[in-house]
Amino acid sequence: MALTISYFAWVRERMGVAEEVVELPVEVADLTALLAWLAARDARGALAFAEPQRIRVAIDGVMMRPGAPLAGAREVALFPPVTGG
Amino acid sequence: MALTISYFAWVRERMGVAEEVVELPVEVADLTALLAWLAARDARGALAFAEPQRIRVAIDGVMMRPGAPLAGAREVALFPPVTGG
Amino acid sequence: MIRVAVQAAAIDVGAELDLHDAGGHGASASFIGRVRGDGGLVELFLEHHPVMTEAGLGDLAHAASDRWKLAALTLIHRVGAMAPADTIVLVLASSPHRSEALAACEFLIDRLKTDVMLWKRETFGDGRVAWVEARAGDEVRAERWDQIPASSRT
Amino acid sequence: MIRVAVQAAAIDVGAELDLHDAGGHGASASFIGRVRGDGGLVELFLEHHPVMTEAGLGDLAHAASDRWKLAALTLIHRVGAMAPADTIVLVLASSPHRSEALAACEFLIDRLKTDVMLWKRETFGDGRVAWVEARAGDEVRAERWDQIPASSRT
């Protein structure tokens, strides 16, 4: 499954890119699995996703709970809790 | 007793003056008596002080309750409840 | 900075805001009250007791700066004859933190309605002239502040 | 009028205020948030998720205008690199009555702190660079609004 992933704030800095298109293995079916897969993929991912409980996720612009399924997703955004305002 | 009385808002309009110096009879010893004395003095006073419960009073710049004594007062201000702000 | 004024001249909100802006304080809350042209109003005349109005605004400003940690505070009230849309009152409160600026601003405008020695006279297009009656609602909003402990407002 | 913007350019508070002033609304409440130079901060960088930030501000503006009777509402957030004392955020709410303008302004700034997709990075004079952590206090202030019935806030 091809998926666009965008990164923000320190997640972006640790990943070294703002956005990438990945080809996901079929067993990576939800957000929990996606974070684990990114953490296992390379050193950048290991650094960015060492503490998955600190990561917030939006699918196609909508905030999702940590275990939400990826089925039908076109763009996943991964970022720390917001500090806006 | 010589006393300066100042009037504000519709009390001033009904009295026709903003300020006057009056010579009070000795028996006019408190604010309740002062309002009754002004109401009895002439037609302007009767109009302005027909409803003494609608009048607020300050003595020398300090808000006073209706029956406060006049002893020591230099200036009495008579006015409706404020509508400021 | 505490700045208090009662003036017949128009209130220059931009200039007052610039004074707070220059301080670079983290948060500024403001309230602007304007003359409403409701019911065909053409003039609002505000009469005041000069000594008591100045003293009242000063007391109010000090009460707010005792209650909240404020970096700057401006309280300006216009008096005399005004037209619809003119600014009657400006409250500006600046603080390092937003909750204190917001609470002080709200406190000041609520209290202004009852504590300050001002009377309003309205003139309408059809010639009617009437002094405004004090509103019970204003006294309720202002009294609120006496019942809420300072700590829970910050 | 509902005006919502996310912009890299400096926020012109005076120009935004003029738009509300022109409406002659009875009451305008505003909140200005500025960059604080605490601890030797020399730059604040604000990163945003463009689509979600715009949508978040729009949702917030509509939530406020559903909740209170507002004549005009402005919500502007700056993003990118800023220096101490620069204005980060401006909230302006105008209404015929002060309680609605004040409540809407406070609601909007409280909610902005948690609902909008923005991240802050601080750079200090000694070279330290750090992303700001979300504050628990902000979530408490914003959640307040879910517990208070709309009617008691007006």
Side-chain angles (χ1 to χ4, degrees):
Chain A
M1 186 176 90
L3 183 72
T4 300
I5 311 183
S6 58
Y7 307 104
F8 294 90
W10 55 256
V11 177
R12 173 181 54 74
E13 290 185 338
R14 291 180 189 181
M15 291 303 285
V17 292
E19 192 174 302
E20 62 176 326
V21 179
V22 297
E23 196 60 42
L24 281 191
V26 71
E27 68 271 20
V28 178
D30 65 28
L31 291 173
T32 306
L34 175 64
L35 297 191
W37 181 77
L38 287 166
R41 191 179 57 164
D42 54 30
R44 299 173 305 144
L47 185 64
F49 301 106
E51 298 173 284
Q53 76 281 3
R54 294 182 65 196
I55 305 299
R56 300 292 176 271
V57 186
I59 297 182
D60 298 323
V62 178
M63 291 290 295
M64 302 303 281
R65 62 192 166 74
L70 285 171
R74 288 187 301 179
E75 191 244 342
V76 171
L78 302 175
F79 43 79
V82 295
T83 52
Chain B
M1 183 178 92
L3 182 71
T4 299
I5 311 184
S6 57
Y7 307 104
F8 294 90
W10 55 257
V11 177
R12 172 181 56 73
E13 289 185 338
R14 292 179 187 181
M15 291 304 284
V17 293
E19 192 174 302
E20 63 176 326
V21 179
V22 298
E23 195 63 39
L24 280 190
V26 71
E27 68 270 20
V28 179
D30 64 29
L31 290 175
T32 305
L34 175 64
L35 297 191
W37 181 78
L38 287 167
R41 191 179 57 165
D42 54 29
R44 300 174 303 142
L47 185 65
F49 301 106
E51 298 172 283
Q53 76 281 4
R54 295 182 64 196
I55 306 298
R56 300 292 175 269
V57 187
I59 297 181
D60 298 324
V62 177
M63 290 291 293
M64 302 302 281
R65 62 193 164 74
L70 285 171
R74 287 187 301 178
E75 190 244 344
V76 171
L78 302 176
F79 43 79
V82 295
T83 52
Chain C
M1 179 192 81
I2 293 186
R3 172 160 155 62
V4 169
V6 181
Q7 61 186 49
I11 299 174
D12 186 344
V13 175
E16 301 299 336
L17 207 54
D18 284 349
L19 293 175
H20 283 244
D21 209 48
H25 314 300
S28 293
S30 81
F31 180 83
I32 297 168
R34 298 188 195 85
V35 179
R36 292 208 310 267
D38 296 356
L41 180 132
V42 292
E43 186 199 88
L44 180 70
F45 177 80
L46 232 70
E47 181 163 335
H48 70 133
H49 185 303
V51 174
M52 292 179 76
T53 305
E54 295 263 7
L57 288 179
D59 287 352
L60 215 45
H62 284 97
S65 51
D66 286 348
R67 191 159 189 155
W68 294 282
K69 193 181 167 184
L70 300 176
L73 179 55
T74 300
L75 214 53
I76 302 182
H77 214 297
R78 195 169 163 194
V79 292
M82 284 162 265
D86 282 2
T87 296
I88 312 177
V89 63
L90 172 68
V91 175
L92 271 170
S94 292
S95 168
H97 302 286
R98 78 178 185 282
S99 59
E100 294 179 85
L102 288 163
C105 182
E106 192 176 358
F107 165 85
L108 287 165
I109 190 64
D110 282 355
R111 276 290 176 90
L112 262 176
K113 293 276 166 177
T114 52
D115 286 16
V116 176
M117 293 285 134
L118 292 161
W119 300 272
K120 288 176 175 166
R121 189 188 63 200
E122 297 177 333
T123 303
F124 297 92
D126 60 9
R128 275 180 303 127
V129 180
W131 289 92
V132 176
E133 298 281 326
R135 294 193 310 154
D138 286 337
E139 291 184 5
V140 171
R141 267 191 77 92
E143 276 166 14
R144 218 163 48 116
W145 295 101
D146 297 325
Q147 291 152 12
I148 302 171
S151 58
S152 77
R153 297 290 318 170
T154 59
Chain D
M1 179 192 81
I2 293 185
R3 173 160 152 64
V4 168
V6 181
Q7 61 186 52
I11 298 174
D12 185 343
V13 176
E16 301 299 336
L17 206 54
D18 285 348
L19 293 176
H20 283 246
D21 210 46
H25 315 300
S28 294
S30 82
F31 180 82
I32 297 168
R34 299 189 195 83
V35 179
R36 294 209 308 269
D38 297 355
L41 179 133
V42 292
E43 186 200 88
L44 180 70
F45 177 80
L46 233 69
E47 181 165 333
H48 71 131
H49 184 302
V51 174
M52 293 180 76
T53 305
E54 295 264 5
L57 288 180
D59 287 352
L60 216 45
H62 284 98
S65 49
D66 287 347
R67 192 159 189 154
W68 294 282
K69 193 182 167 183
L70 300 176
L73 178 56
T74 300
L75 214 54
I76 303 183
H77 214 297
R78 194 170 163 194
V79 292
M82 286 163 264
D86 283 1
T87 295
I88 312 177
V89 62
L90 172 68
V91 174
L92 271 170
S94 292
S95 169
H97 301 287
R98 76 179 185 284
S99 59
E100 295 178 83
L102 288 164
C105 181
E106 193 176 357
F107 165 84
L108 286 165
I109 191 63
D110 282 355
R111 275 292 176 89
L112 262 176
K113 292 278 167 178
T114 51
D115 286 16
V116 176
M117 293 285 132
L118 292 160
W119 299 272
K120 288 176 176 165
R121 189 187 63 200
E122 297 177 333
T123 303
F124 296 92
D126 60 8
R128 274 180 305 126
V129 180
W131 289 92
V132 176
E133 298 281 328
R135 294 194 310 156
D138 286 335
E139 291 183 7
V140 170
R141 267 189 78 92
E143 277 166 14
R144 222 164 44 117
W145 295 100
D146 297 326
Q147 291 152 13
I148 302 171
S151 59
S152 77
R153 298 290 317 170
T154 59

